[in-house]
Amino acid sequence: MSDSHSLPLRNRAARLAPAVFLLSIILLNGVAHLSTAAAQSVDRWRSEWPNTDFAIHSIEYREILSGGPPKDGIPSIDNPKFIPVAAVDNLAPTEPVVGLVIAGEARAYPLRILTWHEIVNDVIGGKPVTVTYCPLCNSAIVFDRTLEGEVLEFGTTGKLRNSDLVMYDRTTESWWQQFLGEAIVGEMTGKKLTMLPSRLESWERFAARHPEGSVLVPNNENLRSYGQNPYDGYDSSTVPFLYRGEMPDGIEPMARVVAVGKKAWSMKLLRESGKIESDDLVLTWEAGQNSALDTRVIAKGRDVGNVIVQRRENDVLRDVPYDVTFAFVFHAFHPDGDLRIE
């Protein structure tokens, strides 16, 4: 199935918020014989993934579901194109971007583009990086893609685990969990990528901080409906899409949380406080950023605010890796984690 056909299948289901619960029930009923289904899935995967060592894995194969698209059906951006901040004329002030600064070089990766590609393989400040975004988890994470002296390049498998993007490296074709940056299938199983500090912030905030920076633009503006949200209404759903794990207690599964490792704070708590200090961490919230998963047009999404997470080191605040994701995602990957709701 080509990407142009497989993506709408996944997107139409994601847009139908009232039908998500029914779809989840169908999925659960359809996998009654999980062990058999998992074995059959691996057999099917081998024909598409002849270079992946399926004998090595750290998770149960029944946890992996097809998201619809095939391998590379959601195409990564491997030769990214940028323009200066001053040349941008199509981003609304409150549109979300991933702001990344390395060795004095600053780049913004708009979610209007990442939503459609999910992975950007780039080199910034001399460092090879992978900028990732999983729309179903609202998880925007940047990784150092140099591992044990080897530079890796990543693509999309078309698979999901706990509704989260499963990536693969093009060297060994091992499968990696985006939320954790950890290989879960294949030769690389158990290895972890280093997460790099970045900010999920509004376009105007990035442009004000880095007026001499650059901004990712599509290689082909006609390839996708950039600026449109194919998952409109998703973050107003009562249950997540293509997820069959446990739900968190005391908080709606689709509520946003700010995750730092195995600790997380509800966005509601941070928004009401404005600032939270925990040990040497300082979290702040300010209004002025659209949700990328609300309305059909990203620039019209409701205001979910801007989050900054920093660590205090000798009275100096330094950015640390964090993730603004959904409560069900944090609970799925850190069931024993510390989620602070109030």
Side-chain angles (χ1 to χ4, degrees):
M1 183 180 294
S2 69
D3 180 44
S4 60
H5 291 90
S6 58
L7 262 177
L9 291 176
R10 172 166 153 186
N11 297 341
R12 284 200 298 271
R15 288 203 299 271
L16 298 175
V20 171
F21 178 74
L22 178 59
L23 179 61
S24 299
I25 295 298
I26 293 173
L27 284 169
L28 286 169
N29 289 336
V31 291
H33 304 290
L34 291 176
S35 297
T36 301
Q40 292 174 343
S41 293
V42 173
D43 288 340
R44 290 195 300 271
W45 295 340
R46 283 195 175 97
S47 62
E48 185 181 14
W49 298 86
N51 299 320
T52 302
D53 189 347
F54 288 103
I56 306 173
H57 54 101
S58 60
I59 50 86
E60 297 292 334
Y61 279 127
R62 64 173 179 266
E63 299 173 10
I64 298 177
L65 300 176
S66 172
K71 176 183 180 182
D72 292 320
I74 299 176
S76 61
I77 297 178
D78 304 324
N79 296 292
K81 176 182 175 182
F82 298 87
I83 62 174
V85 164
V88 175
D89 60 6
N90 66 342
L91 283 172
T94 51
E95 274 198 58
V97 304
V98 175
L100 179 62
V101 184
I102 295 178
E105 187 172 3
R107 290 180 178 172
Y109 304 80
L111 261 57
R112 60 163 45 216
I113 300 174
L114 288 175
T115 295
W116 295 97
H117 293 277
E118 300 189 359
I119 295 174
V120 179
N121 293 296
D122 197 8
V123 178
I124 172 174
K127 182 182 289 292
V129 301
T130 293
V131 181
T132 68
Y133 178 63
C134 176
L136 296 182
C137 294
N138 193 58
S139 182
I141 306 175
V142 179
F143 300 101
D144 183 340
R145 60 188 177 98
T146 300
L147 183 65
E148 298 176 351
E150 183 174 11
V151 177
L152 302 175
E153 183 178 277
F154 290 88
T156 61
T157 63
K159 307 295 188 291
L160 300 167
R161 176 171 170 258
N162 293 330
S163 204
D164 179 58
L165 163 67
V166 177
M167 316 183 297
Y168 80 97
D169 71 81
R170 293 187 172 123
T171 300
T172 69
E173 297 204 352
S174 297
W175 294 7
W176 299 72
Q177 191 76 61
Q178 182 255 4
F179 185 79
L180 301 174
E182 180 178 344
I184 57 174
V185 176
E187 179 183 328
M188 292 280 195
T189 295
K191 296 186 182 297
K192 292 186 177 182
L193 301 172
T194 299
M195 296 182 183
L196 301 175
S198 62
R199 293 186 184 183
L200 182 58
E201 60 186 334
S202 68
W203 161 240
E204 64 181 352
R205 289 170 70 98
F206 175 85
R209 286 198 303 135
H210 303 289
E212 303 304 319
S214 58
V215 185
L216 178 72
V217 295
N219 289 324
N220 178 356
E221 293 184 357
N222 298 316
L223 185 64
R224 295 289 186 274
S225 298
Y226 298 113
Q228 301 289 308
N229 164 30
Y231 306 91
D232 60 299
Y234 178 63
D235 64 357
S236 297
S237 302
T238 56
V239 294
F241 180 59
L242 287 176
Y243 176 73
R244 59 175 181 236
E246 294 182 353
M247 299 298 184
D249 293 327
I251 186 172
E252 293 297 322
M254 299 296 291
R256 280 175 167 80
V257 302
V258 182
V260 184
K262 294 185 178 182
K263 291 185 177 181
W265 295 260
S266 74
M267 184 72 92
K268 180 176 182 292
L269 177 63
L270 179 57
R271 183 177 64 246
E272 292 173 348
S273 304
K275 180 179 181 179
I276 292 176
E277 296 195 34
S278 176
D279 298 325
D280 57 353
L281 288 178
V282 180
L283 296 77
T284 60
W285 181 94
E286 290 185 10
Q289 182 189 146
N290 301 121
S291 165
L293 299 167
D294 183 21
T295 54
R296 181 66 170 168
V297 178
I298 291 176
K300 295 182 179 179
R302 71 181 186 280
D303 188 352
V304 293
N306 296 277
V307 173
I308 298 175
V309 181
Q310 297 175 306
R311 176 166 281 112
R312 195 182 301 280
E313 299 176 356
N314 299 322
D315 295 326
V316 176
L317 292 175
R318 303 186 187 281
D319 284 15
V320 298
Y322 71 95
D323 191 16
V324 178
T325 187
F326 297 123
F328 84 88
V329 181
F330 180 79
H331 180 72
F333 290 107
H334 299 302
D336 298 320
D338 181 7
L339 173 54
R340 303 181 187 183
I341 302 170
E342 56 184 17

